[in-house]
Amino acid sequence: MLLHIPGVLNREQVAALRARLDTTDWVDGRTTVGAQGAQVKQNRQLGETSPLALELGQVVLAALAASPVFFAAALPLRTIAPLFNSYAGGEHYGAHVDGAMRRMPATAAGPGAWVRTDVSSTLFLSDPDDYDGGELIVTDVYGEHEVKLPAGDLILYPSTSIHRVEPVTRGARVCSFFWTQSMVRDDMRRSMLFELDQNIQSLRARLGDCPELVGLTGHYHNLLRQWSEA
C-alpha cells in the first residue's frame, strides 16, 4: 500500500523544525546504511543519536500518535526513532530496498531491541517549489510512482519496495524518515484492514452504529486478532 497522509505536521510545526535543522551540522548519510546502500547513497543526515535528532524525533512521534490515518494504515507495534536528512547540490539515493531489521537506540540497560521494518515513511519538510528534482520513486507491481509532497505531508509505503530519490538540482530537500514494525506483517492484509476501517468510519459518520456496522466492526477486529503478531 502506497498512501499519502496530508497534514501530519502543520505549517507552524514545519517552520519550527526547519528553523532548527537549517542551522545544524549534518553528517554523511552513508553512516546509517549497509554496504549495498552506501554504494548508491549520497546525502546528509543528522546523527542517529544526536540530541537534536532525538528532540525533533519526539515531535514527529507525537504527530504520528495524533494521526488516526497513520495508525489505521501502519498498525504500528514499534516505530524506530525518526531520522532527518537533506539533499542538495545533486545529492541523490539510488535504487535500494530498506534493510529488513533496524536496532532501536541503546539504553543504560543495554543494546536496543531489533525491530522488523514492515512500513517505511517519509515526512516532507520542504515544499515542492523549494527544490528541483528530489522525487521519491517507489516501484511496485503497478510500475513506478513519483512522490513529491507539500511540507508536513507523509508518504507511507511497504519497506519491501524498491525505491530511490532523484538528484536535487536546486534548493534543498529536507525530510524526516523512519520505519515501523506493524502488528500485521503482510502488506496485503494491512491494506485490506485499512480499506475496511476507512469504509466503517465513513458509514458510521452517515448512519451511526447500526447493527450492520457493529457486525462489520466485529469482522475488522476478528481479522486483526487473527493476523496480528503483537
Side-chain angles (χ1 to χ4, degrees):
M1 175 172 54
L2 183 73
L3 181 67
H4 170 198
I5 305 178
V8 171
L9 294 178
N10 61 38
R11 303 303 294 186
E12 292 76 16
Q13 290 172 312
V14 170
L17 264 63
R18 285 298 304 271
R20 304 290 301 282
L21 292 169
D22 290 348
T23 59
T24 193
D25 294 324
W26 301 90
V27 301
D28 189 330
R30 290 175 294 183
T31 61
T32 60
V33 295
Q36 185 272 332
Q39 297 179 43
V40 296
K41 187 176 186 180
Q42 184 182 0
N43 72 353
R44 291 155 296 136
Q45 292 181 193
L46 289 187
E48 289 187 76
T49 59
S50 76
L52 182 60
L54 296 174
E55 177 189 344
L56 300 187
Q58 290 302 310
V59 176
V60 174
L61 290 174
L64 297 176
S67 172
V69 177
F70 177 81
F71 183 88
L75 293 172
L77 180 61
R78 301 180 185 91
T79 295
I80 297 285
L83 300 174
F84 298 84
N85 60 18
S86 177
Y87 293 79
E91 290 174 325
H92 63 281
Y93 198 167
H96 65 284
V97 174
D98 292 333
M101 304 294 292
R102 300 278 302 187
R103 192 186 283 277
M104 297 285 275
T107 67
W114 286 99
V115 174
R116 188 182 66 243
T117 58
D118 297 321
V119 179
S120 298
S121 298
T122 297
L123 176 60
F124 287 77
L125 301 174
S126 299
D127 281 314
D129 292 342
D130 293 341
Y131 61 99
D132 292 335
E135 295 84 1
L136 172 65
I137 309 294
V138 181
T139 303
D140 62 16
V141 294
Y142 301 105
E144 291 191 340
H145 307 276
E146 182 178 297
V147 183
K148 191 172 182 178
L149 301 180
D153 288 12
L154 180 143
I155 190 73
L156 175 152
Y157 55 97
S159 298
T160 53
S161 305
I162 295 175
H163 56 284
R164 67 183 189 272
V165 177
E166 297 287 78
V168 174
T169 57
R170 178 189 64 86
R173 175 195 189 268
V174 181
C175 293
S176 177
F177 63 101
F178 51 92
W179 298 272
T180 299
Q181 179 173 332
S182 178
M183 290 182 281
V184 176
R185 179 194 299 246
D186 183 75
D187 179 60
M188 181 175 290
R189 289 177 174 178
R190 284 197 309 274
S191 298
M192 292 168 63
L193 287 168
F194 177 71
E195 183 176 356
L196 180 56
D197 173 82
Q198 296 302 287
N199 279 292
I200 288 171
Q201 300 304 324
S202 178
L203 287 171
R204 178 172 288 121
R206 290 165 47 197
L207 305 175
D209 278 318
C210 59
E212 292 81 4
L213 266 175
V214 173
L216 287 173
T217 303
H219 280 299
Y220 172 89
H221 285 286
N222 287 333
L223 287 171
L224 181 58
R225 186 176 290 110
Q226 181 176 358
W227 291 341
S228 66
E229 300 177 10

